């Protein structure tokens, strides 16, 4: 089976990106990473991508001011130039416009640190603790025009423990994200190649 070229978009640390790049080295993985793209020049993940032998590129959103679509046109051009046919957002902290989302519809996924549909947006761990939830977790979903709203591909649940802080809960969820994201990407790519 031929492997689908995919890109990963990040804004920071890039630990989920690493999980995807490492999974893609395994025999039989249906995707091939062709680009890591950051909107922030100081994203640690850019250097990590290079260490993994994957081309990396920064397109700094600040250079485009309030013109989101101008920024996204550059991102779209870079993705296409790389040959990517699929995009995984991994800690990419910009909301994408309908223009971009529709261009990549069905080929754009995101990881979110909550059990969606609960806690879309930011501060998910604190919100789960404040609500007294007994369970939290992470979700990978297709991206649509809403924020953290597209069809869910897969989730992993973790317990919320007495005395948890947002930091301890995030630290319990993060390794599960690293397990979930490669699994969900594999599912989405396999689905795409059987279309
Ligand atoms: C992760 O918790 C992810 O779910 C969220 O942002 C964080 C990114 O972490 N969207 P990393 O850059 O992958 O380490």
């Amino acid at each position: 089976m031929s492997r689908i070229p995919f890109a990963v978009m990040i804004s920071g640390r890039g630990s989920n990106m690493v999980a995807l790049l490492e999974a893609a080295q395994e025999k039989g993985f249906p995707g091939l990473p062709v680009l890591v793209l950051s909107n922030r020049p100081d994203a640690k993940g850019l250097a990590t991508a290079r260490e993994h032998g994957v081309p990396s590129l920064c397109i700094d959103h600040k250079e485009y001011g309030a013109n989101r679509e101008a920024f996204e046109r550059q991102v779209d051009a870079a993705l296409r130039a790389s040959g990517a046919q699929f995009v995984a957002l991994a800690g990419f902290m910009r909301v994408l416009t309908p223009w971009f989302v529709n261009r990549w519809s069905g080929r754009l996924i995101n990881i979110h640190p909550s059990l969606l549909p609960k806690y879309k947006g930011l501060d998910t761990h604190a919100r789960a603790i404040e609500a007294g939830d007994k369970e939290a977790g992470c979700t990978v979903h297709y991206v649509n025009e809403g924020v953290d709203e597209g069809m869910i591909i897969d989730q992993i649940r973790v317990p919320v423990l007495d005395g948890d802080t947002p930091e301890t809960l995030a630290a319990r969820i993060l390794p599960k994200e690293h397990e979930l994201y490669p699994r969900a990407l594999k599912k989405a790519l396999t689905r795409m190649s059987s279309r």
Side-chain angles (χ1 to χ4, degrees):
M1 193 178 72
S2 69
R3 299 165 80 196
I4 297 173
F6 72 92
V8 186
M9 285 171 57
I10 61 168
S11 298
R13 176 175 62 179
S15 69
N16 278 289
M17 169 204 78
V18 169
L20 297 180
L21 300 187
E22 287 181 351
Q25 286 173 357
E26 284 163 24
K27 201 165 167 262
F29 192 84
L32 177 73
V34 291
L35 182 68
V36 168
L37 198 155
S38 169
N39 66 311
R40 296 185 55 117
D42 57 353
K44 260 185 69 188
L46 281 171
T48 318
R50 283 193 291 274
E51 284 159 23
H52 281 75
V54 177
S56 66
L57 177 69
C58 174
I59 298 177
D60 186 349
H61 68 273
K62 288 199 182 127
E63 286 174 17
Y64 300 86
N67 192 344
R68 283 182 183 268
E69 213 175 287
F71 161 69
E72 291 176 1
R73 283 187 187 277
Q74 291 302 314
V75 170
D76 182 67
L79 292 171
R80 287 172 195 276
S82 76
Q85 289 173 25
F86 196 95
V87 179
L89 305 179
F92 182 73
M93 300 305 282
R94 301 285 296 168
V95 173
L96 294 163
T97 67
W99 176 80
F100 185 91
V101 167
N102 289 325
R103 249 174 119 69
W104 289 89
S105 177
R107 298 179 297 140
L108 180 63
I109 65 175
N110 179 47
I111 186 155
H112 185 73
S114 81
L115 291 176
L116 289 174
K118 276 190 154 181
Y119 314 128
K120 296 167 185 166
L122 298 174
D123 301 322
T124 54
H125 308 102
R127 287 155 70 200
I129 291 168
E130 269 160 35
D133 291 357
K134 295 285 170 237
E135 255 187 346
C138 45
T139 304
V140 175
H141 63 95
Y142 287 101
V143 176
N144 68 9
E145 291 186 15
V147 175
D148 301 322
E149 273 197 350
M151 193 181 97
I152 290 172
I153 300 169
D154 208 351
Q155 293 184 311
I156 294 183
R157 317 177 91 81
V158 306
V160 179
L161 303 179
D162 286 347
D164 257 343
T165 63
E167 291 72 30
T168 59
L169 181 57
R172 190 171 315 113
I173 292 174
L174 192 63
K176 298 297 177 192
E177 294 188 38
H178 300 159
E179 186 184 324
L180 177 71
Y181 212 174
R183 188 167 98 192
L185 175 62
K186 190 172 177 180
K187 218 188 235 185
L189 291 175
T190 306
R191 198 178 273 167
M192 187 174 150
S193 56
S194 66
R195 254 190 237 148

